[in-house]
Amino acid sequence: MNMMESLAPMLHTKLFWLAAVVTLIWVHFKFVIYTYWKRKGIPHDEPVVPFGSTLPIFLGKSSMGNLVKQKYQKSKKYPLYGIYMFHQPMLLINDPDLVRIILIKEFNKFRDRGLYLNEKVDPLSGHLFLLPGERWRKLRAKLTPTFTSGKLKQMFPLLVEIGDELIKVCEKIIQTDSVIEFKDLNARYTVDSISSIAFGFNCKSLDNPNNEFKRYGSMVFDQSPIRNALGVFAPVVLDTLRIPLIRRVIIDFFSQTFKDMVDHRHSNKIVRKDFINLLMQLMDKGVLEEDEKSQKSNDHTKAGLIDNEKISMVEAQAQAFVFFLGGFETTSSTITYCLYELALNPHIQEKLQAEIDEHLAKPGGMTYDRIVNELEYLHMVFSETLRKHPSVPILNRLCIEDCDLPNTNFRIKKGTGVMISVSGMQRDPNIYPDPDKFDPLRFTKENIASRSPYVYLPFGDGPRVCIGTRFGILQSKIALIALLAKYKFSVCDKTSIPINYSKRSFTQSPEGGVYLRMEKRIK
């Protein structure tokens, strides 16, 4: 009893100081951090201590993309709108002209993304999407030649091979059931194609749905919404606590798999025209073979026009990893959304199938050049799919130098994060009338020319536009052509209308399954 009595004052003192610290933190958030936009004269959100504007994410009521879209819908009459992501004041850019300033005209002042990057804790975070500054510029210059038309043509047969395997699997499935869950099926197609291109072998997840590649790839996009939000809006928290954005088991799997394949190719002198071969050239020589021949003939080395610095194994692993992620979830979701919209709009589906049939009947069948240059209606359908369902719903940038924004009388200070709601603008009825309607004719040449190019940003824009855009489009179209040439798609009792987005993924992937009826076409 005496001991308890002697400890009581000490306990009361600790509780007092704890309450005092909590109160001070609350006061600092409420009256210092959360008055930033009011002091700047910018229309703003009313934050909740200590979450700022992110409370719906913590409560599991909203995904990041949907939260920012709601802020856009609430604030779109203002060119700029202030929000608070935890302790961080961030600026939502709503005006297309200002979007152009941020992404292109003043790019050097908004070059970085300001997202989580900690290569000591998470070595796979050192990839092109996240890298800042000069490291990004140098690596981008090295990797850009890997996505030229010539390189994509070399990869084309590998992708077609996976497309053929997709049809074989569909033939087996349809013998027992015409109702298919396409989110999983398309994920298996993209896993096989990306494992083949980026890691050097077809992991055969179409035949084995429980394949390790698909399992670990799915784990990346099925993470805590809180961890995702911290990685995007408050990476300093993860840095301070030394928490990797990607779980350690995922890091270890992809790192070891890539290293094993590189070692295998070196030992057996294997050359295959894929992405891993290009990365190996950058590891061995610091430059692609074609560029090496070019610089020898043009003496670019002496002029210093080509950087020959080799990339490390860890850097190569990170690039293969992000290439895998970029071609896995986003592509499989886009294919799924496209089939879903075509099932809801059979007249559009029939028109697209007529175009596909016409080109398949030509000598040589469906070639790379035809897919890229001739299937105009397919491209309109694909573009409209990405308008309604952009895989990446938010674009992030970090101001690295004070910048005056034209016609606003406002200077963005260095260190301020800015956001663009891609999904908000692309569902804005003032920009796209009747935005929930699926209408490929929005993407005729005339209609595209009639609106700002900065209200359609599924791949971003400017120097940091997605480097793998053309690969992702090609990968998606090969699957769509293969499927639509053989089958017709319709909704069924298990089809979720409207479709919902996962709250656990940074990308806008469909929640749960996407069930459609698939039947063989009668031509």
Side-chain angles (χ1 to χ4, degrees), residues 383-452:
S383 299
E384 175 68 348
T385 300
L386 283 174
R387 180 199 66 81
K388 278 196 72 175
H389 310 283
S391 297
V392 180
I394 309 165
L395 295 180
N396 283 69
R397 293 292 187 271
L398 180 68
C399 182
I400 60 174
E401 182 183 337
D402 289 1
C403 181
D404 293 314
L405 292 181
N407 304 318
T408 66
N409 296 318
F410 181 71
R411 168 172 284 195
I412 300 183
K413 293 292 185 180
K414 177 181 177 180
T416 303
V418 301
M419 288 191 299
I420 299 161
S421 177
V422 175
S423 56
M425 287 195 300
Q426 293 181 183
R427 287 289 189 103
D428 187 339
N430 296 327
I431 300 170
Y432 297 96
D434 196 5
D436 292 334
K437 179 183 178 181
F438 187 78
D439 182 9
L441 296 181
R442 299 183 202 271
F443 291 91
T444 62
K445 292 178 181 179
E446 295 77 16
N447 284 334
I448 291 173
S450 70
R451 59 181 176 260
S452 167

Side-chain angles (χ1 to χ4, degrees), residues 255-294:
S255 297
Q256 191 61 49
T257 301
F258 181 85
K259 184 178 184 302
D260 289 345
M261 182 50 63
V262 169
D263 292 343
H264 175 70
R265 289 200 179 184
H266 276 311
S267 299
N268 295 278
K269 295 181 171 54
I270 296 172
V271 176
R272 188 170 180 260
K273 304 232 178 253
D274 55 15
F275 187 60
I276 192 174
N277 179 58
L278 301 174
L279 288 177
M280 288 172 65
Q281 292 177 34
L282 294 177
M283 292 168 64
D284 294 339
K285 300 180 181 180
V287 66
L288 300 183
E289 290 174 356
E290 292 88 342
D291 295 329
E292 183 183 32
K293 294 174 184 176
S294 172

Side-chain angles (χ1 to χ4, degrees), residues 8 64 149 214 510 516:
M64 283 188 290
S149 295
K214 179 178 180 297
L516 299 173

Side-chain angles (χ1 to χ4, degrees), residues 320-469:
F321 177 65
V322 76
F323 185 61
F324 176 86
L325 296 186
F328 166 41
E329 175 62 36
T330 57
T331 301
S332 63
S333 292
T334 300
I335 298 167
T336 301
Y337 292 136
C338 188
L339 295 175
Y340 168 84
E341 294 291 350
L342 292 174
L344 289 171
N345 297 275
H347 63 291
I348 296 175
Q349 182 178 169
E350 291 168 6
K351 182 176 179 179
L352 176 54
Q353 286 171 324
E355 181 185 67
I356 291 171
D357 292 346
E358 176 188 347
H359 284 82
L360 282 172
K362 293 180 178 179
M366 196 62 71
T367 64
Y368 171 86
D369 289 321
R370 283 185 181 139
I371 293 177
V372 172
N373 300 316
E374 296 182 22
L375 278 79
E376 293 183 3
Y377 195 64
L378 172 61
H379 193 68
M380 287 192 281
V381 168
F382 182 80
S383 299
E384 175 68 348
T385 300
L386 283 174
R387 180 199 66 81
K388 278 196 72 175
H389 310 283
S391 297
V392 180
I394 309 165
L395 295 180
N396 283 69
R397 293 292 187 271
L398 180 68
C399 182
I400 60 174
E401 182 183 337
D402 289 1
C403 181
D404 293 314
L405 292 181
N407 304 318
T408 66
N409 296 318
F410 181 71
R411 168 172 284 195
I412 300 183
K413 293 292 185 180
K414 177 181 177 180
T416 303
V418 301
M419 288 191 299
I420 299 161
S421 177
V422 175
S423 56
M425 287 195 300
Q426 293 181 183
R427 287 289 189 103
D428 187 339
N430 296 327
I431 300 170
Y432 297 96
D434 196 5
D436 292 334
K437 179 183 178 181
F438 187 78
D439 182 9
L441 296 181
R442 299 183 202 271
F443 291 91
T444 62
K445 292 178 181 179
E446 295 77 16
N447 284 334
I448 291 173
S450 70
R451 59 181 176 260
S452 167
Y454 304 102
V455 296
Y456 181 73
L457 299 166
F459 299 104
D461 207 336
R464 287 203 83 143
V465 68
C466 175
I467 193 173
T469 295

